[in-house]
């Protein structure tokens, strides 16, 4: 049964205390008052549960659980679309209570504006104040699916613990795109100043090594968290990053040396990258692999249920590693996480989340899926764009 | 359908192209001017016409002024030995407001960005190399933004100046004046560590 003392540290963890939506997906208007406990959203398919957690995911850095653009979330009406949309929240963050808001920019509706206490803010500030992790049904096929999905998932785990990771990653990508544009031109026969390429490669190397170092650091912490955890309902994974830079940094080589070598590698690869139309080496090509420890099996070869349990286990371990380092667990969004779990694992998930003291947002088709939480969860019924809190004893 | 005539619409449309003004604020600005024709609108129109006629880019550094060379370039009290490279005239003004620099400036007029179609030939670079070649110049400070494009441009310029006998420096990055360590992001903190100096 659930250990109620786990709730003692709930107050300090980041979480939403009030959520207001205007013209967002299938919500014309919503105003929901919440407490720090996990939130269980239940209702039939298409009722708007994922839309609601998507709104919450918009309060953290990035483009949310569906990676949607600002135009895509406007509410559809009989006449077309609502002209504007907004997500407003009052939230507890690692630095105290704040108001967070995001919505379409009235001057340019295809752009999204984000505000912290009424003033413009940055993605890095959001990552620092309101760390967040999410799992959606898309991650069910994480281990067997494309490499890029796995790295995107892992980079989100890293970002939740290292707020700068996002800006290093986007800086690396920007420099990479700039370099590729020059290589494409060169391949078509235009003359390109080699110093320009040198400058871009130096920038790629500096940011690429910072990016890889954050991954190596996060992986080490995550693995030692997994190793130190007592056996739970979720299987333990042995993780490995296979990447040019990550391997050398993990072996303890100095970042400066790895950076200089990466510059040379990029220089050597110019002709090949120009012909290929993309750059073939670097931390954007890194692969994450996992083994199910107990079964000594590659995650990709495990059953669907086991694969899902491995991902959930990783998310829980990372949340707990972050709580250890930063003093508070991140907000967790677990869309349809309970759907394929047996009763023992549902109980394990409930206990894990309550022990963490995290505000987790869970969705499911029926309230029964959240029985294991007992009084540890606030239940919200979602019906056709209307969300109602059932227990008001927060 | 707009209640204003084509003249007013044109005015609003032109105003809304200015940075910081959207259609709404342009409308308010236009209305305000029309209501204060003698105290605001006519003096503004005259000032605009005069500025458009008289202000030009300095052929030495790229600053904007009525005189060429500009007031900064022709000020004999300033130090000829140091050139500070900035992206825009706005950056030059920011440094002048701080009053911390008493050397000469060089405005690039942008930064390298292949994706925006800005290459070395679009920047005020040849004249920078020419100036840095002069015997007097001892140091070139690259005061460019800490963005990918700004830093790429800084790398590029230092490569171009590498064989000249000038010191090439960049602005320090780290703890802001009055800043508390506890509130700094990890990247800024590690940059501050890397650029630490003897107390």
């Amino acid at each position: 049964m659930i250990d109620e003392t786990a709730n003692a540290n709930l107050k300090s963890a980041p979480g939403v205390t009030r959520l207001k939506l205007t013209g967002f997906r299938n919500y014309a208007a919503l105003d929901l008052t919440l407490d720090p406990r996990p939130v269980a959203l239940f209702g039939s398919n298409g009722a708007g549960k994922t839309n609601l957690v998507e709104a919450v995911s918009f309060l953290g850095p990035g483009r949310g659980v569906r990676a949607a653009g600002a135009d895509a979330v406007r509410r559809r009406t009989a006449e077309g679309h609502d002209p504007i949309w907004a997500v407003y929240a009052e939230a507890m963050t690692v630095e105290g209570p704040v108001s967070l808001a995001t919505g379409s920019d009235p001057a340019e509706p295809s752009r999204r504006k984000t505000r912290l206490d009424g003033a413009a803010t940055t993605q890095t500030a959001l990552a620092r104040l309101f760390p967040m992790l999410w799992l959606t049904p898309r991650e069910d096929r994480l281990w067997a699916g494309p490499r890029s999905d796995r790295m995107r998932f892992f980079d989100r785990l890293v970002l939740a613990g290292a707020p700068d990771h996002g800006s290093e990653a986007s800086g690396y990508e920007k420099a990479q795109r700039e370099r590729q544009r020059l290589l494409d031109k060169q391949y078509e026969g235009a003359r390109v100043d080699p110093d320009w390429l040198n400058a871009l490669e130096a920038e790629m190397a500096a940011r690429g090594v910072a990016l890889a170092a954050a991954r190596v650091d996060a992986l080490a912490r995550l693995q030692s968290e997994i190793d130190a955890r007592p056996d739970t309902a979720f299987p333990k994974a042995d993780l490995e990053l296979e990447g040019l830079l990550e391997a050398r940094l993990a072996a303890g080589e100095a970042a400066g040396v790895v950076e200089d070598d990466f510059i040379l590698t990029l220089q050597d690869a110019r002709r090949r990258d120009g012909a290929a139309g993309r750059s073939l080496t670097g931390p954007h090509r890194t692969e994450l692999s996992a083994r199910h420890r107990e079964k000594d099996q590659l995650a990709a070869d495990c059953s669907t249920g086991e694969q899902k349990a491995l991902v959930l286990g990783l998310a829980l371990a990372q949340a707990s590693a972050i709580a250890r380092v930063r003093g508070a667990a991140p907000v967790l969004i677990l869309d349809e996480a309970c759907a394929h779990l047996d009763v023992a694992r549902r109980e394990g998930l409930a206990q894990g989340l309550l022990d963490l003291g995290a505000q987790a947002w869970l969705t499911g088709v029926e309230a029964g899926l959240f029985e294991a939480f007992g009084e540890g969860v606030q239940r919200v019924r979602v019906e056709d764009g209307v969300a109602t809190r059932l227990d008001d004893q927060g | 359908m707009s209640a204003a005539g084509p003249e007013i619409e044109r005015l609003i449309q032109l105003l809304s192209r200015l940075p910081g003004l959207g259609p709404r604020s342009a409308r308010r600005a236009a209305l305000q001017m029309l209501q204060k024709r003698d105290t605001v609108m006519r003096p503004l129109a005259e000032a605009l016409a005069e500025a458009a006629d008289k202000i030009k880019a300095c052929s030495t550094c790229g600053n904007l002024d009525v005189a060429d060379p500009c007031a900064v370039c022709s000020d004999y009290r300033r130090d000829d030995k140091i050139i500070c490279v900035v992206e825009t005239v706005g950056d030059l003004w920011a440094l002048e407001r701080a009053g911390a620099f008493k050397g000469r400036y060089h405005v690039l007029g942008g930064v390298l960005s292949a994706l925006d179609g800005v290459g070395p030939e679009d920047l005020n670079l040849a004249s920078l190399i020419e100036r840095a070649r002069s015997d007097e110049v001892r140091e070139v400070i690259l005061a460019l933004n800490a963005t990918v494009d700004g830093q790429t441009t800084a790398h590029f310029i230092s490569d171009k100046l590498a064989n000249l006998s000038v010191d090439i420096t960049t602005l320090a990055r780290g703890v802001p004046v009055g800043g508390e360590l506890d509130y700094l992001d990890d990247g800024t903190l590690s940059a501050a560590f890397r650029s630490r100096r003897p107390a």
Side-chain angles (χ1 to χ4, degrees):
Chain A
M1 228 21 250
I2 300 306
D3 176 8
E4 295 290 337
T5 57
N7 290 1
N9 55 356
L10 272 180
K11 277 200 169 50
S12 58
V16 177
T17 51
R18 184 180 179 197
L19 182 68
K20 282 179 79 170
L21 305 184
T22 311
F24 186 87
R25 298 276 190 192
N26 69 334
Y27 292 88
L30 169 83
D31 191 348
L32 203 57
T33 305
L34 298 155
D35 60 49
R37 291 178 297 165
V39 185
L41 305 170
F42 64 92
S44 49
N45 295 132
K49 304 181 296 292
T50 301
N51 292 345
L52 222 161
V53 293
E54 181 184 31
V56 175
S57 72
F58 270 20
L59 301 169
R63 299 202 301 156
V65 292
R66 286 191 179 111
D71 263 342
V73 301
R74 288 190 298 163
R75 189 175 76 104
R76 240 180 286 168
T77 60
E79 299 85 51
H81 284 97
D82 274 353
I84 56 156
W85 63 270
V87 177
Y88 167 90
E90 287 162 19
M92 180 53 77
T93 71
V94 288
E95 289 170 14
V98 298
S99 76
L100 288 168
T102 184
S104 49
D105 183 342
E108 208 180 328
S110 60
R111 279 182 75 108
R112 205 178 119 193
K113 272 206 302 216
T114 303
R115 292 180 168 270
L116 168 65
D117 282 334
T121 187
T122 62
Q123 297 282 305
T124 307
L126 286 181
R128 193 187 73 235
L129 278 176
F130 210 61
M132 195 179 275
L133 286 179
W134 66 68
L135 284 184
T136 65
R138 190 187 162 129
E139 273 80 38
D140 289 358
R141 302 295 296 155
L142 188 75
W143 304 113
R147 184 201 61 81
S148 57
D149 280 3
R150 251 180 323 276
M151 279 320 289
R152 202 172 302 126
F153 167 76
F154 184 69
D155 279 331
R156 275 207 315 272
L157 293 187
V158 179
L159 176 66
D164 287 324
H165 191 59
S167 67
E168 292 294 1
S170 58
Y172 174 79
E173 278 168 28
K174 169 87 170 33
Q176 190 194 346
R177 282 200 308 273
E178 290 270 334
R179 172 179 176 269
Q180 196 58 47
R181 175 63 62 93
L182 295 186
L183 293 179
D184 292 348
K185 274 194 193 172
Q186 202 169 43
Y187 187 70
E188 288 158 11
R191 202 195 103 69
V192 170
D193 190 327
D195 284 340
W196 191 355
L197 281 168
N198 289 342
L200 283 167
E201 284 159 359
E203 193 60 20
M204 266 177 86
R207 295 190 183 249
V209 168
L211 176 71
R215 284 176 181 164
V216 168
D217 190 45
L219 186 103
R221 279 180 213 275
L222 178 55
Q223 190 67 62
S224 59
E225 183 71 33
I226 293 171
D227 296 347
R229 279 165 89 77
D231 284 330
T232 63
F234 297 97
K236 289 190 174 188
D238 288 312
L239 302 169
E240 198 182 336
L241 280 171
E242 292 151 34
L244 174 79
L245 306 180
E246 286 85 353
R248 295 182 59 186
L249 292 166
E253 281 194 61
V257 176
V258 178
E259 189 177 322
D260 291 345
D261 286 354
F262 186 35
I263 292 178
L264 296 177
T265 308
L266 288 169
Q267 278 174 3
D268 287 344
R270 281 178 193 172
R271 188 183 293 273
R272 202 186 55 178
D273 290 353
R278 65 204 164 95
S279 62
L280 298 171
T281 38
H284 60 289
R285 309 272 296 169
T286 298
E287 165 70 298
L288 173 75
S289 68
R291 288 190 80 81
H292 190 300
R293 184 177 294 176
E294 200 189 336
K295 298 197 164 163
D296 190 25
Q297 205 173 20
L298 270 177
D301 299 333
C302 292
S303 73
T304 318
E306 285 295 317
Q307 290 193 28
K308 180 155 185 156
L310 274 168
V311 180
L312 258 172
L314 276 192
L316 288 174
Q318 176 66 351
S320 140
I322 290 167
R324 201 178 298 286
V325 175
R326 304 183 63 185
V331 172
L332 283 158
I333 293 176
L334 304 173
D335 191 17
E336 298 289 347
C338 296
H340 300 109
L341 298 182
D342 56 33
V343 177
R345 286 211 167 123
R346 284 213 292 271
E347 281 182 1
L349 178 64
Q351 187 66 61
L353 291 174
L354 293 171
D355 287 349
L356 261 178
Q359 189 181 60
W361 289 72
L362 301 121
T363 66
V365 283
E366 52 187 68
L369 288 167
F370 310 110
E371 251 166 31
F373 283 89
E375 292 304 309
V377 74
Q378 45 200 326
R379 290 174 172 79
V380 176
R381 183 201 303 279
V382 181
E383 264 169 324
D384 200 18
V386 178
T388 323
R389 227 185 115 174
L390 295 191
D391 44 349
D392 270 330
Q393 71 273 34
Chain B
M1 187 58 209
S2 165
E7 296 82 3
I8 299 181
E9 276 306 322
R10 179 153 181 272
L11 176 61
I12 292 169
Q13 204 208 337
L14 286 172
L15 284 171
S16 67
R17 278 158 53 180
L18 297 174
L21 289 188
R24 253 170 225 274
S25 38
R27 214 164 275 279
R28 274 207 298 276
L31 192 58
Q32 173 81 300
M33 286 196 281
L34 288 164
Q35 282 164 345
K36 297 183 176 170
R37 233 169 275 205
D38 290 328
T39 53
V40 177
M41 197 171 198
R42 289 212 169 84
L44 178 67
E46 283 160 22
L48 287 173
E50 198 178 354
D53 284 343
K54 293 188 178 164
I55 294 178
K56 47 196 165 251
C58 171
S59 57
T60 309
C61 74
N63 187 17
L64 294 171
D65 200 346
V66 287
D68 183 11
C70 70
V72 177
C73 286
S74 52
D75 184 346
Y76 68 93
R77 291 163 302 181
R78 299 188 78 110
D79 190 348
D80 285 326
K81 292 196 283 296
I82 317 176
I83 299 176
C84 177
V85 179
V86 291
E87 180 182 336
T88 65
V89 174
D91 295 336
L92 186 157
W93 289 349
L95 292 174
E96 278 302 281
R97 276 200 304 277
F101 178 65
K102 293 293 172 216
R104 306 292 184 187
Y105 287 99
H106 193 88
V107 181
L108 288 176
V111 280
L112 294 177
S113 171
L115 297 171
D116 296 326
V118 182
E121 64 286 354
D122 301 306
L123 303 180
N124 204 359
L125 272 173
S127 59
L128 172 64
I129 295 167
E130 203 50 49
R131 289 177 77 188
R133 219 187 283 276
S134 139
D135 288 341
E136 273 175 326
V137 177
R138 292 273 168 271
E139 182 181 356
V140 173
I141 305 171
L142 301 174
L144 299 174
N145 291 329
T147 56
V148 170
D149 292 340
Q151 292 311 294
T152 302
T153 309
H155 275 296
F156 180 81
I157 296 175
S158 37
D159 278 352
K160 291 289 178 206
L161 302 181
N163 53 2
L164 303 181
S165 58
V166 288
D167 291 332
I168 303 161
T169 57
T170 59
L171 296 187
R173 239 167 272 145
V175 183
V177 175
E180 292 179 43
L181 296 187
D182 196 19
Y183 284 86
L184 289 185
D185 63 85
D186 303 353
T188 308
L189 269 179
S190 25
F193 264 94
R194 282 196 299 274
S195 15
R196 69 188 183 277
R197 56 192 175 85

